[in-house]
Amino acid sequence: MIVTEIDWKWKSGLSVRAKTNYVVLHHAAAKACSPYQVDSWHKANGWSGIGYHYFIRKDGTIYRGRPEWATGAHAQGKNHESIGICVEGNYDEEYIMPDDQKEAVKAVLRDIKLRYPNTTVKGHKHVGATGCPGKYYPLSEMMTYYRNIIPKESEKLNMTQYEELKKEIDTLKTRIGYFNYIDENMNESYKPTVQKLVDIGVLRGNEKGELMLTTDMMRIFTVLDRTGVFN
Ligand SMILES: [Zn+2]
């Protein structure tokens, strides 16, 4: 999933959202609009800037609005515990969501569900007095999709694995000397996480500079990294 970043200028500071229980779905109620327009509308409301965490255009381009850690401004009463996703379009008047946009919403939902497995998804109208995200928005399809997202084997992390990992990390921490290179043969998908852990000193090698990581451990580190625990 590619998220297009925008260097937003916030009018005032953003606050950290302490909990995440819901994902709230919205439409912009405008048939064509850019994330910049949404930002200017929200600033005109007196808000810090775009209130959603994600804004998805009809062509499927996914834009980052507020950083995901920040409290949004999209669902009164639920902002302190939810992530907001808005789509371009007016789904009170447009009958069909383009496939590219629909797939992009699902990609964002999947990404969020893997990081916040205990969340549920709701339409804005389920938590506030509004018709948003519009009567033709594929809301029940999205809710069913979200409920049925099952992490792939490689994305699963159960508590046993977590406890084992913690033990492994403690063992690794006691090893002497920093590991300062990444094995050329290491699976590409593990490299960014392993390099990061080396950089921040969580992983150290033995005196030969060997990390002694099993594939399982690299996999678990990578999954953990996605949850943000190493940030
Ligand atoms: Zn809404």
Side-chain angles (χ1 to χ4, degrees):
M1 179 180 88
I2 295 167
V3 179
T4 302
E5 306 285 346
I6 294 175
D7 187 18
W8 296 113
K9 302 286 178 256
W10 307 107
K11 275 206 313 198
S12 52
L14 301 174
S15 64
V16 176
R17 188 184 62 256
K19 50 184 177 174
T20 307
N21 294 323
Y22 303 103
V23 177
V24 181
L25 300 174
H26 303 265
H27 71 152
K31 287 183 180 173
C33 59
S34 72
Y36 299 97
Q37 281 169 296
V38 174
D39 181 63
S40 68
W41 297 336
H42 288 184
K43 281 189 170 111
N45 288 346
W47 304 344
S48 205
I50 187 168
Y52 309 112
H53 297 89
Y54 296 94
F55 182 78
I56 300 168
R57 294 211 67 164
K58 287 182 172 170
D59 68 2
T61 310
I62 302 164
Y63 290 94
R64 171 120 35 227
R66 297 200 180 196
E68 209 177 79
W69 52 260
T71 305
H74 59 93
Q76 207 173 20
K78 287 280 179 256
N79 287 318
H80 67 291
E81 55 174 337
S82 67
I83 294 171
I85 304 173
C86 183
V87 293
E88 176 188 25
N90 183 342
Y91 290 106
D92 269 322
E93 295 177 5
E94 296 171 273
Y95 302 122
I96 309 264
M97 179 180 282
D99 284 344
D100 287 343
Q101 190 176 41
K102 201 190 265 190
E103 289 312 307
V105 173
K106 287 181 177 175
V108 173
L109 287 176
R110 179 173 181 84
D111 190 66
I112 293 172
K113 179 78 179 270
L114 295 177
R115 285 178 290 110
Y116 299 95
N118 299 321
T119 51
T120 50
V121 71
K122 292 189 178 294
H124 189 185
K125 64 182 173 192
H126 297 144
V127 299
T130 170
C132 178
K135 53 184 178 287
Y136 304 118
Y137 185 102
L139 193 51
S140 55
E141 178 180 338
M142 293 303 177
M143 292 170 74
T144 304
Y145 174 78
Y146 201 73
R147 214 171 26 244
N148 292 329
I149 291 170
I150 313 259
K152 288 183 212 136
E153 204 54 42
S154 63
E155 294 165 332
K156 270 188 200 163
L157 182 70
N158 61 38
M159 285 317 287
T160 315
Q161 285 174 308
Y162 183 72
E163 292 304 320
E164 280 170 15
L165 176 75
K166 276 205 322 204
K167 271 190 237 154
E168 295 283 3
I169 290 176
D170 288 341
T171 312
L172 285 162
K173 275 181 177 167
T174 63
R175 294 210 177 130
I176 306 159
Y178 283 86
F179 173 86
N180 54 12
Y181 70 91
I182 294 289
D183 187 332
E184 307 270 278
N185 299 320
M186 186 182 288
N187 184 316
E188 284 299 327
S189 60
Y190 301 135
K191 281 185 183 176
T193 295
V194 173
Q195 185 64 58
K196 178 183 191 174
L197 296 184
V198 169
D199 291 344
I200 62 178
V202 170
L203 285 182
R204 294 156 189 239
N206 61 15
E207 39 310 310
K208 287 185 212 150
E210 294 162 337
L211 270 182
M212 318 287 285
L213 290 173
T214 62
T215 303
D216 270 351
M217 286 167 61
M218 288 190 281
R219 184 167 60 78
I220 294 168
F221 277 129
T222 303
V223 172
L224 263 190
D225 192 15
R226 286 193 209 128
T227 70
V229 295
F230 301 126
N231 295 336

